[in-house]
């Protein structure tokens, strides 16, 4: 397994046991640097053949469902093109996928539920703390701005010039530094975190 970013000794490490965990890797790497942001750490994992087959099977099922929907829908061209796009997605799947983790809890309490067992080929990335929030998608002016503790989604959308004409306001979501994704309520301030990207779909 390997670790890069804001740790004292980045590089590759041999797993010394079958239950080699996130906390073990951080310990072997000499801990985080003073700039390391544990809450934003993310893990990249290589797919097994079984996982790849499962993902392709789910894409095929989704494509079939779209074809069936297209048969009952007047707008056939649009639905069929969406179904065909899934075939392209299937070809572009790749072998690496992100695993959302909570390194802060894993290091604070070794062996806990968040301190997941690693497997061969895992790559841990520990970023530096980022004080910005990026707003992208269907807003008037996509922008990166300083994170302000306690402010809700409404505050960040306002500073991006407001929603665009085709924005799906009830489908706004955040992509966090650790790779996890969460739907954002318009008034909640807990879901907006430093370093996240707010996405407003059309």
């Amino acid at each position: 397994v390997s670790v890069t970013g804001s740790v004292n000794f980045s590089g590759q490490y041999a797993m010394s046991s079958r239950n080699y965990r996130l906390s073990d890797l951080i310990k072997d790497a000499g801990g985080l640097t003073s700039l390391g942001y544990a809450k934003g750490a993310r893990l990249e994992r290589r797919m097994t053949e079984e996982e790849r087959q499962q993902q392709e099977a789910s894409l095929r099922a989704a494509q079939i469902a779209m074809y069936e929907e297209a048969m009952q829908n007047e707008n056939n061209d649009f639905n069929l093109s969406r179904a065909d796009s899934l075939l392209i997605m299937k070809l572009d799947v790749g072998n690496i996928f992100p695993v959302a983790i909570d390194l802060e809890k894993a290091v604070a309490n070794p062996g806990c539920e968040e301190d997941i067992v690693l497997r061969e080929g895992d790559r841990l990335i520990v970023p530096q703390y980022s004080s910005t929030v990026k707003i992208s998608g269907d807003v008037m002016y996509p922008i990166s701005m300083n994170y302000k503790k306690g402010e809700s989604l409404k505050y960040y959308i306002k500073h991006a010039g407001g929603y665009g004409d085709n924005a799906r306001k009830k489908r706004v979501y955040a992509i966090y530094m650790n790779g996890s994704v969460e739907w954002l309520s318009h008034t909640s301030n807990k879901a907006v975190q430093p370093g996240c990207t707010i996405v407003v779909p059309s």
Side-chain angles (χ1 to χ4, degrees), residues 132-139 142-145 147 151-158 160 163 171-176 182-185 188 191-193 195-201:
T132 61
V133 172
K134 184 179 180 183
I135 303 98
S136 65
D138 204 342
V139 289
I143 192 174
S144 289
M145 57 183 287
Y147 168 75
E151 291 292 351
S152 67
L153 172 64
K154 187 177 180 181
Y155 169 83
Y156 296 97
I157 296 297
K158 179 183 175 183
Y163 289 109
R171 292 289 183 268
V172 179
Y173 60 93
I175 304 173
Y176 300 111
E182 187 176 339
W183 170 77
L184 294 179
S185 163
S188 173
V192 179
Q193 296 178 4
C196 78
T197 298
I198 296 170
V199 182
V200 181

Side-chain angles (χ1 to χ4, degrees), residues 109-184:
N109 188 17
C112 68
E113 198 172 284
E114 286 80 9
D115 192 17
I116 66 171
V117 175
L118 300 178
R119 72 186 193 197
E120 185 180 355
D122 280 356
R123 178 172 176 249
L124 178 65
I125 301 104
V126 182
Q128 292 185 8
Y129 177 80
S130 172
S131 62
T132 61
V133 172
K134 184 179 180 183
I135 303 98
S136 65
D138 204 342
V139 289
M140 299 305 291
Y141 188 70
I143 192 174
S144 289
M145 57 183 287
N146 279 334
Y147 168 75
K148 193 167 182 181
K149 190 174 182 180
E151 291 292 351
S152 67
L153 172 64
K154 187 177 180 181
Y155 169 83
Y156 296 97
I157 296 297
K158 179 183 175 183
H159 282 78
Y163 289 109
D165 292 338
N166 298 315
R168 298 191 69 185
K169 300 175 185 179
K170 294 183 179 180
R171 292 289 183 268
V172 179
Y173 60 93
I175 304 173
Y176 300 111
M177 292 180 75
N178 71 350
S180 63
V181 178
E182 187 176 339
W183 170 77
L184 294 179

Side-chain angles (χ1 to χ4, degrees), residues 80-94:
L80 289 170
S81 66
R82 283 178 65 195
D84 288 338
S85 73
L86 280 168
L87 277 177
I88 298 169
M89 283 172 60
K90 187 172 70 173
L91 294 173
D92 293 338
V93 161

Side-chain angles (χ1 to χ4, degrees), residues 43-59:
L43 186 69
E44 292 180 351
R45 177 162 283 179
R46 236 183 282 163
M47 276 188 195
T48 63
E49 185 58 33
E50 183 181 359
E51 287 168 341
R52 187 171 179 82
Q53 287 174 3
Q54 286 176 348
Q55 187 160 8
E56 289 186 354
S58 66
L59 281 169

Side-chain angles (χ1 to χ4, degrees), residues 2 5 8 15 21 30 32 35 42 46 50 68 71 77 100 102 108-109 114 127 134 137 154 161 166 174 180 184:
S2 64
N8 285 303
M15 293 184 288
R21 298 174 181 269
L32 273 61
L35 298 174
R42 67 185 188 277
R46 236 183 282 163
E50 183 181 359
E68 290 174 345
M71 298 304 173
D77 290 341
D102 191 331
N109 188 17
E114 286 80 9
K134 184 179 180 183
K154 187 177 180 181
N166 298 315
S180 63
L184 294 179

Side-chain angles (χ1 to χ4, degrees), residues 20-36:
Y20 191 83
R21 298 174 181 269
L22 281 170
S23 59
D24 296 321
L25 179 56
I26 292 298
K27 184 179 177 182
D28 287 348
L32 273 61
T33 67
S34 57
L35 298 174

